[in-house]
Amino acid sequence: MELPDESTADIACILNGEPIRARVPLRQNLVDWLRHGVGLTGSHVGCEHGVCGACHVQVDGVVVRGCLMLAVQADRATVETIEGATSSGRIRALQDAFFNRAALQCGFCTPGMLLQAAELLAKNSDPTREEIRQALSGNYCRCTGYHAIVDAVQAAAASLRA
Amino acid sequence: MPDTALPPDGWIGRPMPRAATRRLIEGRGRYTDDNAAKGELHAAFLRSPFPHAAFRITGCDAARALPGVRAVLTAEDLAPFCRSWRTQSLAFPGLVSPEQGPLARDRAVYQGEPVALVLAASRAVAEDALELVGVEWNELPAVTDVAHALDAGTPPVHQGLSSNLAWRTEFGEGDVEAAFAKAALVVEERFTFTRHTGVPLEARSVLATYDPAAEALEVRMSHQIPHQMQVHLAELLDLPMGRVRVIAGDVGGGFGIKMHVYPDEVAVCAASRLTGRPVRYVCDRIEALMADIHAREHVVQARMAVDAEGRILAFDVDDIQGLGAYSIYPRSSTVEAMSVLRTVGAPYHFSAYRARLRCALQNKVPTGQYRSVGHPIGCATTERLVDLAAAARGEDPLEFRRRNFLPEAMMPWTNPAGGRMAELSHTATLAEFERLLDLPKLRAEVAAMRAEGRCVGLGFSAVVEYTASGPAAYGRAGVPVAAMDTVVVTLEPTGDVVARASVAEIGQGIQQGIVQVVADAVGVPPSRVTIHTGDTANAPHGGGAWASRGAAIGGEAAWGAGRKLQAEILKTAAALLQSTPDALDVRDGQVVDAKGTPRMSLAELASTVFFRGHELPGGVQPQFTATHQFRREEDLFLTTNGLQASLVEVDPDTGLVTPLRHWVVGDCGRLLNPLLVDEQVRGGVVQGIGEALLEACRYDPGNGQFLTGTLADYLLPMADNAPDVTVGHVETPYSGSALGAKGAGEAGTCGAPAAVLNAVNDALGSRGARISELPVTPTVILRALGTLEAAE
Ligand code: FES
Ligand code: FES
């Protein structure tokens, strides 16, 4: 909703492959806009201070923390969320591996974790467990203890190399 | 005796992912805050910035005048719409816990206590308005340090109390004095356990919608026990139970944090009733760290007596629990302390026990039931004493444990602490543990690392957990908690089966376990079973998610309902096929004869019943919905056992402890789904490692201010500081149920802190340092090594 006293700005960006225009409050962060302004609720909010990685989205090809970036900063950017990454099929191998390996329990961390893992695999097609753990060290997961996540990323990397 | 005919080659026991996680990996989860209601208002709470203060709200007009603000509410405003409550328990007669309401009135007794509520068109505007609420604060002396909370002269936590003692007790059997007098060896330690909290990644959230025309309340919330909330909201808001619906959709983790009645959540429901509008509230992380329940603040003085043969004679334990400003509603915080004291010594045989407990009120947020309630403290206390005794005797710590484990032949046995031990498998578990660890090789690796100058240590812990609480646990205490479960199964016209269950899915995977049970009970593949949980309008009353109860209690209800449905299917099919139920079976969605030859599919049968009922023989009234409600009559708890090992490396210069590997062998009875059980164990272990090394809710010792309000201050295990966890099982099905499942979800958390504490001490032993404090932070290590001065 637009409120009389709320300062806003108009932005235009490519969101999950589609052009979109929106009027956003200046102080609204990117993940809140995606979730509540656009209705893409696959990105989550876990801390709003840049520690947990639940809010990860990709902006201009780089995974960023959606809680540390303002929506207005996405003006003229290309933004991809878990919904876009799913429908494009680019993270399918990781998603299958997470499912089969039970590398998620409550699933709240999973979208952010998947985007971060995909960024790793794009750079390193055969990461060691240690490298996977380093790459995911900014994504908090309370449920799994990470072991199964590391297994799943390794399995996805193997299937992509095959 | 229950019907225990599990089908051969059935689905129970197969490792299968939880089907519903497909949605979650695609970003299609529906957590509470993913639901918006038309016309909703957003809530923000004004919380006390002081641990203890008298206050007066002097002006709300400026806040109300802000565009977009709909209401500014105080305790007086909500009072006509909501009763107050007080935590009481017949198990703890005389428990001191004052009356509480949804918002504090006149006095705040912990930092973060909600004192006023703003409703606005957006959360941002609501937060803007908070800053315009005029409050006159008069800060009062605060009590935060548990060690001094009970001292004479310490100011009271609540006005009018003469002491901060919330409750005290002493219990135990056997002659403790005589045991210590004749002991060949006495080991003793004083343990300090710092508060921590659960930090589910999805914070508590609620969307309450009151319909004034229907006089009905619908609440979506992130909660482990929707049926419990239905009971309490109906009572507090004075509504018939049938007009309160609580829906927990996808829940982003619980761990015990989301099983209580929180003032802010009740306030949101009352505010919806007051305004007639939907009200949405999501805790931010700072609020969550400050005002979610905390847990496990204890100072434990403990000693153990051992005879000349190295047999444990007795334990003598004194525990002071810091329980916070109130005993948590409705279950009480004291339950945690009793769980600590019942867990001491649990894996072993001993003949005398004395426990003393004092529960101290503090100007801190209430503590409550958090994953593996109290057990990690009792386990760490016991296992540290055991290691000290083994070291004093100059023997291998596993040999000391082997000698002292409660022999299988003695069970069932009620130990001097009052814990009933039944169907434990210490011998088999130890054998599997030694096999899994390959100890000679592992010890050689440790020796080689030490030869390189690395400061590494290997530590063990033995675990006994009380799981799947029976009806008497809270029933005798007069606390309205359902320890039973309901499952309803329905055969649909297509031959599909739908199950509705009162268990709750919070990520642990119980939905999948129940699906596999129903599949076997009815005779269909799991792909034909759909399960619904988490909605009071969907499933009848039951217990939800706590005490690792889903498989042991919900599973039994599912088995019972599935068998009833199968019996009805067989009866109906027999009537149509001119056969008898005994001559038929249901397998893989087909009614089959004695030779296994398909006679009729469930789809044919069900469509006949639902769409062509005129073809049924006279007098046949198929009941294709079956309900089973299960309560366990025997065994107050189901005890489980296990062993854990931790390998750690300590950096003596920085004091940093790195967990390198961790091993677990557990016996949780029948495994409904080993894949999901393994991941429960791993997640639980890492949570316990966090407790051992990182996690602490800290308060300024001077002014009592909360210091760990962000995830940069409250440290958690991340992927780069958590170890791989190797998991093994021994399977001793519980003899008193059809499925034989016991609790599995918390044992990892129970034993990990003890194993890590012992490993750190093993690493530091050669340097003469000894640690008895959790978490083992770098400061603790450096103080123990003498490189940092001890705290005064
Ligand atoms: S919500 Fe952005 S890092 Fe936690
Ligand atoms: S699966 Fe629950 S936080 Fe990662």
Side-chain angles (χ1 to χ4, degrees):
Chain A
M1 184 199 308
E2 238 178 283
L3 291 163
D5 282 2
E6 189 77 53
S7 313
T8 60
D10 292 335
I11 62 170
C13 61
I14 305 291
L15 176 57
N16 294 334
E18 309 263 347
I20 180 173
R21 291 180 176 281
R23 176 157 298 174
V24 299
L26 288 185
R27 61 179 170 175
Q28 188 167 51
N29 67 33
L30 177 59
V31 67
D32 279 350
W33 174 61
L34 290 168
R35 287 176 49 74
H36 303 303
V38 187
L40 293 171
T41 54
S43 310
H44 297 148
V45 173
C47 71
E48 289 179 286
H49 51 254
V51 180
C52 75
C55 60
H56 276 175
V57 294
Q58 207 189 51
V59 177
D60 291 334
V62 180
V63 173
V64 302
R65 299 223 192 277
C67 72
L68 293 187
M69 191 172 160
L70 293 169
V72 291
Q73 291 175 287
D75 189 29
R76 280 176 289 195
T78 299
V79 178
E80 191 185 70
T81 66
I82 184 69
E83 288 90 346
T86 298
S87 52
S88 76
R90 77 173 175 92
I91 59 169
R92 182 38 58 190
L94 275 165
Q95 287 171 315
D96 287 344
F98 269 58
F99 176 77
N100 291 323
R101 182 59 192 81
L104 67 159
Q105 290 178 25
C106 80
F108 204 78
C109 68
T110 311
M113 202 67 90
L114 285 166
L115 293 181
Q116 191 71 55
E119 187 169 272
L120 168 70
L121 294 190
K123 292 186 200 136
N124 181 347
S125 62
D126 189 11
T128 63
R129 292 184 81 76
E130 220 31 62
E131 287 167 337
I132 295 168
R133 286 183 175 279
Q134 282 304 328
L136 298 180
S137 66
N139 291 74
Y140 168 57
C141 175
R142 185 52 131 181
C143 300
T144 64
Y146 306 103
H147 181 129
I149 292 176
V150 178
D151 286 351
V153 175
Q154 276 193 315
S159 80
L160 288 169
R161 287 193 311 272
Chain B
M1 202 48 209
D3 165 15
T4 52
L6 296 195
D9 309 319
W11 298 98
I12 292 170
R14 291 206 204 180
M16 301 176 77
R18 169 160 72 103
T21 57
R22 275 273 173 220
R23 291 189 296 109
L24 308 181
I25 54 174
E26 299 198 350
R28 295 185 175 279
R30 294 303 278 180
Y31 304 90
T32 298
D33 191 46
D34 299 338
N35 297 280
K38 294 261 188 286
E40 67 183 4
L41 295 166
H42 295 260
F45 284 91
L46 182 66
R47 294 177 182 271
S48 172
F50 301 110
H52 194 188
F55 69 90
R56 205 165 60 83
I57 296 183
T58 52
C60 298
D61 293 348
R64 285 195 183 110
L66 199 69
V69 171
R70 168 67 176 72
V72 180
L73 304 174
T74 64
E76 284 72 21
D77 298 319
L78 292 186
F81 298 90
C82 184
R83 295 201 170 106
S84 59
W85 60 91
R86 193 161 86 79
T87 306
Q88 284 175 299
S89 168
L90 298 175
F92 314 124
L95 178 72
V96 177
S97 185
E99 196 92 5
Q100 267 186 286
L103 295 171
R105 196 189 279 250
D106 305 330
R107 258 167 205 269
V109 287
Y110 62 91
Q111 191 180 0
E113 185 173 11
V115 304
L117 166 62
V118 173
L119 303 178
S122 76
R123 173 69 173 252
V125 170
E127 288 184 15
D128 292 343
L130 290 182
E131 290 175 21
L132 302 176
V133 177
V135 191
E136 212 174 83
W137 294 100
N138 179 11
E139 200 177 349
L140 298 167
V143 182
T144 52
D145 181 2
V146 62
H148 296 298
L150 299 175
D151 293 354
T154 299
V157 165
H158 293 268
Q159 194 182 25
L161 289 186
S162 56
S163 114
N164 292 320
L165 185 69
W167 198 64
R168 72 181 301 159
T169 191
E170 284 192 28
F171 65 94
E173 297 287 329
D175 191 340
V176 170
E177 292 304 335
F180 277 89
K182 72 170 187 211
L185 170 67
V186 173
V187 285
E188 178 155 15
E189 191 69 280
R190 180 184 160 87
F191 299 92
T192 306
F193 299 96
T194 304
R195 271 177 179 236
H196 44 272
T197 183
V199 201
L201 184 50
E202 181 208 23
R204 290 185 299 107
S205 2
V206 53
L207 170 60
T209 305
Y210 183 73
D211 178 339
E215 296 180 357
L217 177 71
E218 180 182 297
V219 184
R220 284 190 172 272
M221 64 192 303
S222 186
H223 204 276
Q224 297 169 226
I225 317 173
H227 290 95
Q228 171 192 294
M229 288 309 295
Q230 184 192 23
V231 169
H232 292 292
L233 289 172
E235 170 167 358
L236 294 174
L237 275 70
D238 198 16
L239 290 165
M241 244 184 91
R243 294 216 212 112
V244 177
R245 178 179 179 189
V246 179
I247 308 163
D250 290 317
V251 172
F255 315 111
I257 299 305
K258 298 172 182 169
M259 55 178 271
H260 311 285
V261 174
Y262 284 90
D264 50 14
E265 293 173 356
V266 177
V268 165
C269 296
S272 176
R273 183 154 197 202
L274 186 155
T275 56
R277 302 263 300 262
V279 178
R280 175 142 59 120
Y281 169 69
V282 181
C283 253
D284 70 27
R285 185 53 59 190
I286 296 170
E287 292 178 290
L289 286 166
M290 184 158 54
D292 281 3
I293 58 129
H294 293 175
R296 298 186 192 145
E297 180 170 13
H298 293 259
V299 177
V300 178
Q301 183 77 36
R303 58 183 186 139
M304 179 175 82
V306 180
D307 72 10
E309 280 74 52
R311 292 185 193 280
I312 300 171
L313 299 171
F315 291 92
D316 184 10
V317 187
D318 182 292
D319 179 15
I320 306 178
Q321 177 198 21
L323 71 67
Y326 295 97
S327 196
I328 194 71
Y329 191 73
R331 296 175 184 227
S332 91
S333 313
T334 314
V335 165
E336 176 191 274
M338 292 303 286
S339 180
V340 168
L341 293 170
R342 211 179 41 214
T343 307
V344 170
Y348 306 110
H349 180 264
F350 54 103
S351 46
Y353 187 70
R354 178 167 61 202
R356 271 177 297 225
L357 168 65
R358 283 166 290 168
C359 302
L361 294 165
Q362 305 160 292
N363 293 113
K364 292 182 176 179
V365 72
T367 55
Q369 288 77 349
Y370 166 52
R371 195 176 197 175
S372 195
V373 186
H375 291 74
I377 309 273
C379 180
T381 299
T382 308
E383 294 303 298
R384 190 69 205 117
L385 291 177
V386 161
D387 262 25
L388 287 172
R393 288 173 51 82
E395 71 176 325
D396 181 285
L398 277 184
E399 290 315 310
F400 186 90
R401 287 176 172 84
R402 189 193 311 275
R403 184 187 313 113
N404 282 287
F405 275 138
L406 179 65
E408 281 77 3
M410 274 189 74
M411 289 181 250
W413 183 62
T414 299
N415 74 15
R420 186 167 181 279
M421 301 298 150
E423 302 186 10
L424 302 176
S425 61
H426 293 305
T427 308
T429 299
L430 180 54
E432 175 60 12
F433 186 71
E434 289 179 305
R435 191 195 66 75
L436 190 76
L437 266 69
D438 193 355
L439 268 172
K441 187 161 156 254
L442 181 59
R443 289 213 155 103
E445 279 171 34
V446 169
M449 286 193 265
R450 283 182 176 159
E452 289 167 22
R454 294 172 67 180
C455 182
V456 291
L458 183 62
F460 303 106
S461 65
V463 170
V464 164
E465 249 212 337
Y466 300 89
T467 72
S469 310
Y474 283 102
R476 271 199 206 112
V479 180
V481 165
M484 48 68 69
D485 270 309
T486 308
V487 173
V488 180
V489 292
T490 297
L491 185 66
E492 298 293 340
T494 52
D496 293 295
V497 175
V498 173
R500 298 177 173 84
S502 62
V503 298
E505 178 60 59
I506 54 173
Q508 82 280 41
I510 190 59
Q511 286 181 336
Q512 185 63 29
I514 299 281
V515 162
Q516 290 172 235
V517 170
V518 169
D520 275 356
V522 179
V524 295
S527 57
R528 305 300 296 272
V529 182
T530 302
I531 183 162
H532 300 290
T533 59
D535 183 346
T536 58
N538 205 334
H541 202 81
W546 54 281
S548 301
R549 60 189 301 287
I553 298 171
E556 289 300 309
W559 178 256
R563 295 310 268 183
K564 284 180 187 167
L565 180 60
Q566 193 198 53
E568 200 63 22
I569 288 168
L570 291 174
K571 203 167 83 183
T572 311
L576 282 168
L577 296 168
Q578 285 150 358
S579 178
T580 62
D582 291 354
L584 300 171
D585 196 3
V586 186
R587 273 183 227 152
D588 205 26
Q590 303 279 336
V591 177
V592 298
D593 63 19
K595 293 199 209 78
T597 312
R599 298 288 309 274
M600 181 182 234
S601 73
L602 288 187
E604 284 171 67
L605 175 68
S607 62
T608 304
V609 167
F610 288 109
F611 302 145
R612 298 187 305 280
H614 62 282
E615 294 176 9
L616 291 171
V620 175
Q621 289 285 352
Q623 300 297 304
F624 281 176
T625 290
T627 301
H628 196 67
Q629 299 190 307
F630 177 79
R631 78 180 162 98
R632 193 176 60 248
E633 296 178 49
E634 308 291 326
D635 297 310
L636 182 55
F637 301 99
L638 301 184
T639 42
T640 65
N641 64 288
L643 276 160
Q644 297 195 17
S646 159
L647 178 66
V648 303
E649 176 158 16
V650 180
D651 181 336
D653 297 325
T654 62
L656 266 177
V657 180
T658 306
L660 301 175
R661 285 284 301 276
H662 203 99
W663 297 261
V664 181
V665 175
D667 184 347
C668 59
R670 169 126 31 230
L671 301 167
L672 299 187
N673 180 323
L675 173 68
L676 300 184
V677 170
D678 282 0
E679 297 321 314
Q680 282 299 295
V681 171
R682 291 198 170 95
V685 162
V686 171
Q687 208 158 350
I689 290 174
E691 170 169 355
L693 297 176
L694 301 165
E695 299 182 39
C697 298
R698 302 212 186 264
Y699 291 80
D700 185 296
N703 58 20
Q705 283 284 316
F706 185 58
L707 300 175
T708 47
T710 74
L711 295 185
D713 307 296
Y714 186 95
L715 301 181
L716 290 157
M718 302 298 276
D720 62 343
N721 61 7
D724 279 346
V725 181
T726 307
V727 181
H729 298 282
V730 169
E731 208 167 338
T732 311
Y734 170 52
S735 65
S737 69
L739 304 175
K742 309 177 197 172
E746 301 172 271
T749 309
C750 173
V756 171
L757 181 63
N758 280 338
V760 169
N761 276 293
D762 185 51
L764 297 181
S766 63
R767 293 163 200 253
R770 177 163 153 178
I771 284 168
S772 57
E773 177 178 349
L774 292 186
V776 188
T777 60
T779 312
V780 170
I781 296 271
L782 296 178
R783 280 188 183 139
L785 287 170
T787 23
L788 254 189
E789 266 180 50
E792 72 283 7

